[in-house]
Amino acid sequence: MSKTRPKWTELDKPLNESILNVLKRLQFKRATPVQAATIPLLLSCKDVATEAVTGSGKTLAFLIPMLELLLKRDTPWKKSEVGAIVISPTRELATQTSSVLDEFLKEEKLSHFTQRLLVGGNSVEEDVNIIKRKGAQILICTPGRMQDLLERKCDLNMPGRVKSLELLVLDEADRLLDLGFEATLNTIFSYLPRQRRTGLFSATQTKEVADLMRAGLRNPVLVCVKEKAAQSTPKLLQNYFAIVEPEEKLKYLLQFIKANDIQKSLLFLPTCACVEYWGLVLPHLLAAQGQTIKVFALHGKMKQRRGKILQKFRDTENAMLLCTDVLARGVDIPEIDWVLQWDPPSSAAAFVHRVGRTARQGNEGNALILLLPSEDAYTTFLEKNQKVKLIPASIEFDPQQEINKIIHDLQLKDRSIIDKGTRAFVSHIRAYSKHECNLILRLKDLDLGKIATSYGMLKLPKMPEMKEEFQETFVSPFKDLDLNTLQYKDKQKQASYDKKLEIYQETGEWPGKKIHKKKTVAWDKAKKERIDKKELKKRRKDARNLKKEKKAADEAPKKKRKNKFTEEEIEELKRDIASIKKFKKQKISQAELDEEMGFSGDE
């Protein structure tokens, strides 16, 4: 144990007493392998690129050396100087890093350092005013906000403040690149001093990460820490899977939650619309089976509300958080005992990041993924691609349990739930068609009628993927229901809908809806148009080439005029030059020079 998890006092580089006090107060008794390997390197003023599985303690691996480097400076830090910057891909991860740093800054001998959290959703002007008034030696930020402050023309002068930078940290670097921040990072690099230390931390090393290392790090030391060579997920994580029929997926999930007495969990859903829909429906379904689980919903489009929702989830003991992959990286909530996945994520790597939200920092954890019979090969794919071994889940499952009636009753009372359900279903199917692993997860293998049944839909939506055969597999007692007879619970929304419906009945067009009418042309006419366009393009190209040739021909005589002398005249000129050289070297007299150049004749 001591070899892989040394005590903090056993590290190659001794730590400041104040930092040791905080670690003791937070009950971090030993360093994880990634911390033991990375901290001494950063304290030796080396650039470091660290790859380690999620939940291995990467946050402390850069916060501890960051504070050590700031403490080591001989002269006190000014209010107008920035000594360290941590760039995170999402505001949730940045907020979490900031909260961990706060625990250290509570220590008396560290309290003179100030930090500022710079993320989207907050007022830029407020950030500028606080930094001007209070200063900030440490910035925890997202890339967009950092670039904005560096490029902003105001009296804050952020480029001047970062000239004293000691350490730059790129947290979850692979995720930063996945989200398309490469150009933003390069812009940020251009403002930062070259004489700095840089730490790059990621769960996976990709070609893009390697390119980023070359751009932002100078001769970095590579640190690769695997907790277990046979797998890429934490050692104490148990990964389960269940193969269920599409129409039984929701039933199985509810029964699984009850059978395992799950207290705190994350449920990953494929799209923002799915999170919105199930966030309304699931509380009623859980309450119907006697469970007091508080349900929260969070996705990337919520912007400002995300931080508050996440904090409420942290503070609630018995809770479930429905989310998209916006929470798949870096977020650390130790109390999470289960990670549930409605279906496979868009990439195999995302699976590892999702399940890594549990079994963190040496704690035990569990994860479950629900698969359809057509997706059974996904388990083998994960084992080969990500070294993740899935265990079959086992519960006493009752497929006869009736739950759709509860969903139907909710929809009949409020038409807005029907709208949300339709958007969720359509977005789910569209997202499924874009899976990275589309050889196994094929859209054509899905029975959309059965999936719509699991969504508790009243009627099948109209969409290109919906075939006639799915009408037979779709189960609903309301197939012939006229949805226009249903009312919105929100009276203002209902009044607006009634007005639009009246216009539609009069004109045949729904107001505000963009209709793209495609022009239909007979096949033979369309073919003739294509040929004519091709000929026109060819004639234009020939005309351009002819114009170029004519221009070249006009310029050709001008080029010839440059050669004004004949070969005989050039030879005579060479002889005259040779005679002048002889005269200068006093090899011939003035009279001989005149004679050779033809100046000796009669005047």
Side-chain angles (χ1 to χ4, degrees):
M1 180 74 174
S2 60
K3 291 183 180 179
T4 56
R5 300 288 298 274
K7 294 181 180 178
W8 295 106
T9 53
E10 297 172 349
L11 295 181
D12 294 344
K13 294 283 183 179
L15 299 182
N16 185 279
E17 186 179 349
S18 300
I19 293 175
L20 290 173
N21 290 339
V22 177
L23 292 171
K24 185 178 180 180
R25 173 164 54 84
L26 297 177
Q27 297 185 345
F28 291 121
K29 297 179 181 179
R30 293 177 179 271
T32 64
V34 67
Q35 292 161 359
T38 305
I39 291 172
L41 290 170
L42 283 173
L43 291 181
S44 300
C45 294
K46 295 183 183 296
D47 285 0
V48 179
T50 300
E51 176 191 359
V53 296
T54 184
S56 57
K58 292 193 286 289
T59 303
L60 287 183
F62 60 76
L63 285 183
I64 290 173
M66 178 184 75
L67 290 169
E68 288 278 358
L69 290 171
L70 295 182
L71 284 167
K72 282 182 180 179
R73 199 170 90 154
D74 297 331
T75 56
W77 286 91
K78 298 177 182 177
K79 189 172 73 171
S80 60
E81 291 180 308
V82 174
I85 298 174
V86 179
I87 300 179
S88 301
T90 64
R91 65 189 69 178
E92 286 77 21
L93 183 52
T95 303
Q96 178 178 286
T97 303
S98 178
S99 64
V100 175
L101 180 59
D102 270 338
E103 294 296 327
F104 284 88
L105 300 186
K106 289 176 184 177
E107 187 72 11
E108 184 180 353
K109 292 185 179 180
L110 299 173
S111 60
H112 61 285
F113 292 125
T114 57
Q115 68 145 321
R116 182 64 187 163
L117 178 64
L118 304 172
V119 296
N122 299 334
S123 167
V124 182
E125 287 70 23
E126 182 183 349
D127 288 337
V128 169
N129 291 333
I130 290 178
I131 293 174
K132 284 165 59 178
R133 190 170 67 253
K134 297 182 178 181
Q137 285 80 45
I138 304 167
L139 300 178
I140 313 291
C141 57
T142 48
R145 181 55 58 92
M146 190 69 230
Q147 180 185 11
D148 187 4
L149 290 177
L150 285 168
E151 295 181 332
R152 185 171 283 260
K153 305 295 183 184
C154 64
D155 56 352
L156 175 65
N157 188 21
M158 184 59 78
R161 290 174 179 264
V162 300
K163 285 182 179 179
S164 303
L165 190 72
E166 288 283 346
L167 178 66
L168 169 69
V169 174
L170 302 176
D171 193 14
E172 298 288 353
D174 47 345
R175 181 62 173 160
L176 282 168
L177 297 174
D178 287 344
L179 294 175
F181 286 122
E182 184 176 0
T184 303
L185 291 174
N186 288 332
T187 301
I188 293 172
F189 291 161
S190 68
Y191 284 95
L192 304 182
R194 292 182 178 273
Q195 297 300 321
R196 67 169 193 269
R197 296 283 62 79
T198 303
L200 184 149
F201 294 80
S202 64
T204 55
Q205 290 287 352
T206 62
K207 178 183 178 297
E208 290 76 16
V209 172
D211 292 342
L212 184 62
M213 285 166 53
R214 285 193 290 272
L217 283 72
R218 299 185 305 167
N219 301 317
V221 178
L222 301 179
V223 176
C224 183
V225 178
K226 297 289 185 182
E227 288 195 14
K228 192 175 180 183
Q231 65 182 52
S232 57
T233 54
K235 289 189 295 183
L236 299 178
L237 173 64
Q238 295 291 319
N239 278 298
Y240 297 94
F241 76 98
I243 295 180
V244 293
E245 293 294 333
E247 70 275 22
E248 297 171 353
K249 183 179 279 192
L250 181 59
K251 297 177 187 178
Y252 188 94
L253 178 64
L254 292 169
Q255 292 181 38
F256 187 89
I257 293 170
K258 188 172 184 179
N260 288 277
D261 191 25
I262 296 176
Q263 298 298 308
K264 198 149 191 174
S265 61
L266 289 181
L267 173 57
F268 282 98
L269 294 163
T271 67
C272 299
C274 291
V275 171
E276 290 277 355
Y277 175 61
W278 291 116
L280 291 171
V281 173
L282 266 179
H284 298 275
L285 298 176
L286 290 167
Q289 61 180 22
Q291 292 186 277
T292 57
I293 299 175
K294 179 75 173 175
V295 177
F296 298 93
L298 187 153
H299 57 73
K301 294 182 179 178
M302 288 181 167
K303 304 299 181 188
Q304 290 91 341
R305 288 190 294 153
R306 279 158 46 183
K308 293 180 181 178
I309 293 170
L310 188 58
Q311 190 57 49
K312 286 180 181 178
F313 174 66
R314 289 178 189 272
D315 297 339
T316 307
E317 290 185 8
N318 193 7
M320 173 187 286
L321 178 60
L322 314 187
C323 58
T324 57
D325 280 335
V326 72
L327 286 190
R329 303 289 290 269
V331 176
D332 186 13
I333 306 174
E335 300 81 12
I336 292 176
D337 51 0
W338 278 91
V339 170
L340 309 169
Q341 301 185 68
W342 181 264
D343 65 350
S346 58
S347 68
F351 178 95
V352 174
H353 297 303
R354 282 182 173 186
V355 299
R357 296 315 96 214
T358 185
R360 299 177 69 82
Q361 293 285 350
N363 296 318
E364 294 183 355
N366 304 279
L368 170 73
I369 185 169
L370 300 176
L371 300 174
L372 304 177
S374 61
E375 300 169 339
D376 58 344
Y378 190 73
T379 58
T380 306
F381 169 75
L382 268 184
E383 187 171 358
K384 291 182 177 179
N385 187 276
Q386 294 292 322
K387 297 180 181 178
V388 176
K389 180 72 175 177
L390 296 182
I391 308 166
S394 178
I395 62 167
E396 292 184 9
F397 176 54
D398 177 17
Q400 302 304 318
Q401 181 187 22
E402 181 55 52
I403 58 173
N404 276 16
K405 186 178 185 306
I406 300 171
I407 305 177
H408 292 159
D409 288 345
L410 291 170
Q411 293 177 333
L412 292 172
K413 291 176 183 176
D414 187 359
R415 183 168 175 169
S416 66
I417 299 180
I418 298 176
D419 294 345
K420 289 181 182 294
T422 302
R423 283 195 293 271
F425 174 78
V426 172
S427 67
H428 180 187
I429 302 307
R430 299 281 162 78
Y432 196 93
S433 67
K434 297 173 183 176
H435 266 108
E436 185 182 276
C437 185
N438 52 20
L439 292 176
I440 297 173
L441 309 174
R442 298 181 297 184
L443 182 61
K444 67 178 184 180
D445 292 336
L446 297 185
D447 187 326
L448 301 192
K450 291 183 177 181
I451 294 176
T453 302
S454 73
Y455 269 76
M457 302 190 70
L458 300 179
K459 299 182 73 172
L460 285 178
K462 295 178 181 179
M463 54 191 300
E465 296 87 351
M466 195 64 67
K467 300 177 183 177
E468 187 66 31
E469 62 196 67
F470 297 142
Q471 291 285 352
E472 299 176 6
T473 57
F474 173 58
V475 178
S476 170
F478 303 98
K479 288 184 178 181
D480 299 325
L481 176 69
D482 182 5
L483 296 182
N484 289 325
T485 61
L486 301 180
Q487 300 283 306
Y488 287 97
K489 199 171 184 179
D490 185 330
K491 292 182 180 180
Q492 188 175 356
K493 195 170 186 178
Q494 181 60 42
S496 174
Y497 179 80
D498 290 340
K499 189 174 181 180
K500 289 180 179 179
L501 182 62
E502 186 179 342
I503 295 172
Y504 173 74
Q505 289 172 344
E506 291 178 1
T507 64
E509 291 186 5
W510 193 264
K513 186 177 180 180
K514 293 182 180 180
I515 301 175
H516 301 283
K517 292 183 178 180
K518 192 175 180 180
K519 184 181 177 182
T520 55
V521 184
W523 180 84
D524 56 341
K525 190 175 180 182
K527 185 179 179 182
K528 185 177 183 302
E529 287 179 358
R530 286 197 299 272
I531 294 172
D532 290 345
K533 284 182 180 179
K534 197 172 181 180
E535 286 293 328
L536 179 61
K537 189 176 179 181
K538 186 175 181 300
R539 286 199 300 270
R540 286 176 176 172
K541 186 178 179 180
D542 291 342
R544 285 196 299 269
N545 291 338
L546 185 63
K547 190 176 181 180
K548 287 180 182 178
E549 290 175 3
K550 185 178 179 182
K551 185 178 179 182
D554 291 341
E555 291 178 351
K558 296 178 183 178
K559 290 180 181 179
K560 288 180 181 179
R561 289 190 203 110
K562 289 181 181 179
N563 193 5
K564 297 179 179 180
F565 305 101
T566 63
E567 290 184 10
E568 186 178 342
E569 289 172 332
I570 292 172
E571 288 298 324
E572 186 178 348
L573 184 60
K574 286 180 180 179
R575 288 194 298 270
D576 290 345
I577 293 171
S579 299
I580 293 171
K581 286 181 178 180
K582 287 179 185 180
F583 174 74
K584 285 183 177 181
K585 292 179 181 180
Q586 297 182 351
K587 291 183 179 181
I588 60 175
S589 63
Q590 179 68 51
E592 290 174 324
L593 174 64
D594 292 343
E595 185 178 352
E596 287 186 10
M597 298 191 68
F599 297 150
S600 58
D602 296 335
E603 292 183 1

